[in-house]
Amino acid sequence: MTSVEPAPSISGATEAAVAAAHERYRAARPRSAAQAEAAAAVLPGGSTRSVLDFAPFPFRVARADGAHLHDVDGHTYLDLLGDYTAGLLGHNPPEVAAAVVAVTERGWSLGAVAEDEHRLAELITSRFASMAQMRFTNSGTEANLMAISLARHTTGRTKVLVFDGAYHGGLLYFGAGGEALRMPFDYVHATYNDSRSVAEVFERHGAEIACVLVEPMMGAGGGIQGTPAFLAALRQTCRDHGALLVFDEVMTSRMSIGGAQGWLGITPDITTLGKYLGGGMTFGAFGASAELMAAFDPARGGTLTHGGTFNNNAITMRAGVAAVEQILTADALDGLFARGERLRAGLTDVIGTRPYTVTGWGSILGVHATGGPVSSPADLAGVDPLRAELLFHHLLDRGIYIARRGFIALSLPVTDADLDRAVEAVDHAITTIER
């Protein structure tokens, strides 16, 4: 038998380029390296938040301000990761800082109700058409768990329709590797942006489906926008079958003062929120009509209890009031949305015909080392992890911080000049990688 030589491959050269990038990074950050080694002795993987890990080790932040991070080795980064959307306000906004100081001066672990709790609820429910009433949680993960539980309780059904590759929190991840830690609800799966796949699931299980849990734009799933037609079809399908539609707006509530649902003109049955609406503190929330939320009100016959020592913690409540009243105005959110669209157009333009794709909506984007189009996480199966790794490190070399997987979330302090710098840096990085 005649042996056949394998086709020429750039993988060896790419692996060498990644190794060189790691060595440059390591040599420039001795203090971060030492701290990473010490942390690994007491924290599995060296941290307590897996998404922040990358090779050869994450840099350690010494301080942050505006749209910038400063590490312990003296490097400054333009922060385009925005703490995976939680950092929408930017670092150290003075309005929130003042609110937190005021709380620490009067006491913060109250074990009782303070006036900021109902004020923040008034401010938030006034923004979202779907939320007549709401309750606070400690995270978006908790908010989604509560929303699912409310839907199951209300409908008397057990199944939850989710989308392959979706992420709704640490216990609700439906991509590769998520199953071991997944909350054991009864799930059925469909394909994002594929109304036919949803219809087929409802044909088989419609009488058992309590709710559909969906992000109007997949965030961690790749920065993939749901088409208006797909999301409108979900709304109608849920109505037709007596299921509840849950919009996970933990990330997309930034798209306008009324969230993605306000942009789209689609009102879900339950909405979940998180992150920046609590001033960037530990925060989550879920809300719905007064009829649905009566399940938590014993005065209206509700039988559900909802515990959580820090649901209404004084720091988050006061910080949230400051953020929503003073910073997260309609003009501020609309301006950031426009800057994000400008960045996406600029990146798409400089990428041209090279094998990369930019996805996203407004101020949340994804840069992927694969050709498009991308309408669901399955379309990202062809991403070359080595080229993605190189892009990440080339941007770090130029002082720009995004997620290793290419995720970008702009914060309010990011300027047009920052966006121009980012476009130029991505162009330079891809040119270097592909030459």
Side-chain angles (χ1 to χ4, degrees):
M1 179 180 294
T2 304
S3 63
V4 178
E5 290 292 323
S9 170
I10 64 168
S11 63
T14 306
E15 289 174 356
V18 169
H22 287 180
E23 184 53 39
R24 287 195 309 273
Y25 178 93
R26 187 188 302 276
R29 295 166 180 84
R31 295 186 67 186
S32 287
Q35 291 186 24
E37 183 177 0
V42 290
L43 295 166
S47 77
T48 191
R49 188 178 174 192
S50 297
V51 73
L52 297 180
D53 189 33
F54 60 83
F57 50 82
F59 59 83
R60 264 47 184 180
V61 174
R63 61 185 177 88
D65 51 66
H68 295 90
L69 298 172
H70 310 274
D71 73 17
V72 297
D73 293 287
H75 303 100
T76 295
Y77 308 88
L78 172 61
D79 181 8
L80 297 186
L81 176 55
D83 196 6
Y84 291 89
T85 75
L88 172 60
L89 306 175
H91 301 292
N92 302 331
E95 299 90 343
V96 173
V100 170
V101 169
V103 171
T104 61
E105 290 175 344
R106 74 180 190 193
W108 57 89
S109 188
L110 305 179
V113 178
E115 60 186 351
D116 290 324
E117 181 178 359
H118 84 263
R119 179 58 183 151
L120 182 55
E122 288 174 341
L123 290 167
I124 292 175
T125 56
S126 70
R127 294 184 171 214
F128 298 93
S130 60
M131 299 177 72
Q133 293 188 322
M134 62 178 293
R135 289 181 74 97
F136 295 112
T137 66
N138 291 281
S139 67
T141 301
E142 288 184 24
N144 283 319
L145 292 172
M146 293 303 299
I148 291 171
S149 298
L150 174 59
R152 284 161 51 101
H153 170 80
T154 301
T155 64
R157 302 174 179 180
T158 60
K159 294 188 184 299
V160 180
L161 192 154
V162 296
F163 294 92
D164 291 327
Y167 178 87
H168 300 283
L171 298 176
L172 292 166
Y173 173 44
F174 301 97
E179 187 171 356
L181 295 176
R182 190 177 300 156
M183 185 61 64
F185 292 120
D186 186 2
Y187 302 105
V188 289
H189 295 250
T191 301
Y192 196 71
N193 273 328
D194 185 342
S195 297
R196 182 58 202 163
S197 78
V198 174
E200 290 172 352
V201 173
F202 268 96
E203 287 170 7
R204 295 193 301 271
H205 304 288
E208 304 169 89
I209 295 175
C211 64
V212 174
L213 177 62
V214 64
E215 289 181 286
M217 181 193 71
M218 279 190 164
I224 303 170
Q225 183 182 3
T227 67
F230 167 70
L231 296 167
L234 284 183
R235 174 65 284 178
Q236 189 59 51
T237 299
C238 286
R239 286 198 183 106
D240 292 344
H241 291 268
L244 300 182
L245 179 61
V246 181
F247 266 12
D248 175 349
E249 291 229 46
V250 169
M251 291 189 176
T252 60
S253 57
R254 64 166 51 208
M255 296 304 170
S256 76
I257 199 166
Q261 58 194 263
W263 256 104
L264 295 162
I266 298 172
T267 303
D269 297 295
I270 305 173
T271 296
T272 61
L273 305 169
K275 306 183 187 279
Y276 37 81
L277 289 167
M281 305 297 167
T282 299
F283 174 80
F286 66 101
S289 67
E291 180 183 9
L292 283 176
M293 295 302 289
F296 297 96
D297 186 351
R300 290 183 284 165
T303 59
L304 296 183
T305 59
H306 172 218
T309 300
F310 296 107
N311 287 347
N312 67 337
N313 78 85
I315 292 176
T316 294
M317 297 297 101
R318 175 59 68 91
V321 169
V324 176
E325 277 192 324
Q326 300 178 53
I327 304 174
L328 296 173
T329 65
D331 286 346
L333 293 173
D334 290 348
L336 188 65
F337 185 96
R339 291 202 295 282
E341 292 288 283
R342 176 174 175 266
L343 175 60
R344 183 157 56 95
L347 292 174
T348 300
D349 183 57
V350 298
I351 285 170
T353 60
R354 294 179 292 187
Y356 293 79
T357 302
V358 184
T359 60
W361 187 29
S363 57
I364 300 176
L365 298 84
V367 181
H368 309 287
T370 185
V374 176
S375 61
S376 77
D379 295 324
L380 297 174
V383 170
D384 181 345
L386 293 179
R387 287 166 61 240
E389 177 89 353
L390 274 179
L391 177 62
F392 171 71
H393 275 283
H394 275 292
L395 293 179
L396 282 181
D397 287 344
R398 296 172 71 88
I400 294 178
Y401 181 48
I402 68 172
R404 181 176 174 273
R405 64 172 181 257
F407 184 85
I408 293 172
L410 302 184
S411 61
L412 289 169
V414 172
T415 67
D416 286 340
D418 292 330
L419 301 185
D420 291 341
R421 175 185 168 194
V423 170
E424 188 277 331
V426 169
D427 186 21
H428 180 272
I430 292 176
T431 299
T432 302
I433 294 166
E434 300 300 324
R435 67 186 175 194

